[in-house]
């Protein structure tokens, strides 16, 4: 069953609140958020809500934002979800500020000496299909926090010190 606009607006607002708290270093309970959110949705199961959170993580990446740890990005999200996320993000100055502060934090050098625990397999390329975006969807301003983080000089220094 397709999610209605009201349901999508409710889950996006809740997700953005949790993301803002996470980026600001504040604790929150995902289960408690999901239970409160369930009362606003049309009988959605826990699994359905969790899956939609994963879709939202993918939408946030597409908008150039970080996403909530623990909500693995999932492909093929609803076009309405991307549209509502973009609309709500554009009005969230607090999210913008905490995201910027989070990616500008100096990297901490890990105390890892067992390199066998650092090594991992290369990611598997997955093909993603999406609904085509409506023609009227324009993005006037886009901040790419992930790119800013990648350019963070302290991250490079931490990598050199890690060797």
């Amino acid at each position: 069953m397709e999610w209605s606009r009201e349901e999508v607006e409710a889950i996006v607002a809740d997700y953005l609140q949790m993301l803002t708290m996470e980026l600001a270093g504040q604790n929150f309970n995902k289960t408690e958020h999901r239970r409160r959110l369930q009362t606003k949705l049309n009988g959605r199961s826990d699994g359905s809500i969790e899956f939609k959170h994963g879709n939202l993580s993918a939408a946030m990446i597409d908008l150039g934002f970080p996403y909530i740890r623990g909500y693995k990005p999932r492909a093929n999200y609803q076009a309405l979800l991307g549209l509502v996320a973009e609309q709500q993000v554009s009005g969230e100055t607090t999210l913008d500020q905490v995201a910027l502060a989070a990616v500008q934090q100096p990297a901490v050098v890990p105390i890892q000496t067992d390199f066998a625990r650092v090594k991992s397999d290369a990611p598997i390329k997955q093909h993603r299909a999406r609904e085509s975006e409506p023609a009227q969807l324009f993005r006037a301003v886009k901040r790419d926090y992930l790119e800013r983080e990648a350019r963070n000089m302290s991250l490079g220094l931490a990598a050199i010190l890690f060797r």
Side-chain angles (χ1 to χ4, degrees), residues 7-119:
E7 289 177 305
V8 170
E9 287 174 349
I11 199 165
V12 169
D14 188 64
Y15 184 98
L16 294 180
Q17 181 185 24
M18 289 190 291
L19 178 59
T20 302
M21 292 174 74
E22 183 174 286
L23 293 173
Q26 297 176 11
N27 293 326
F28 62 94
N29 185 314
K30 291 178 187 175
T31 303
E32 184 180 310
H33 272 261
R34 188 183 66 243
R35 287 185 183 141
R36 267 186 296 177
L37 187 59
Q38 231 165 4
T39 64
K40 299 176 185 177
L41 305 178
N42 298 325
R44 300 289 179 181
S45 67
D46 289 347
S48 177
I49 294 169
E50 292 292 306
F51 196 87
K52 198 60 128 180
H53 280 137
N55 289 145
L56 262 165
S57 291
M60 294 306 290
I61 290 171
D62 289 344
L63 291 171
F65 277 83
Y67 61 92
I68 298 174
R69 285 186 305 252
Y71 290 134
K72 181 181 176 183
R74 300 188 181 273
N76 302 331
Y77 58 85
Q78 181 184 14
L80 178 62
L81 183 71
L83 180 65
V84 170
E86 181 180 11
Q87 290 169 346
Q88 289 192 20
V89 162
S90 67
E92 283 290 329
T93 57
T94 304
L95 174 61
D96 192 42
Q97 292 168 353
V98 296
L100 186 58
V103 300
Q104 290 180 340
Q105 291 284 330
V108 177
V109 179
I111 308 174
Q112 177 72 299
T113 55
D114 181 6
F115 289 101
R117 296 178 69 193
V118 175
K119 185 180 174 186

Side-chain angles (χ1 to χ4, degrees), residues 59 62-63 77 82-83 86 133 136-142:
D62 289 344
L63 291 171
Y77 58 85
L83 180 65
E86 181 180 11
E133 293 187 21
Q136 72 273 12
L137 182 64
F138 296 102
R139 293 191 174 111
V141 177
K142 182 176 177 182

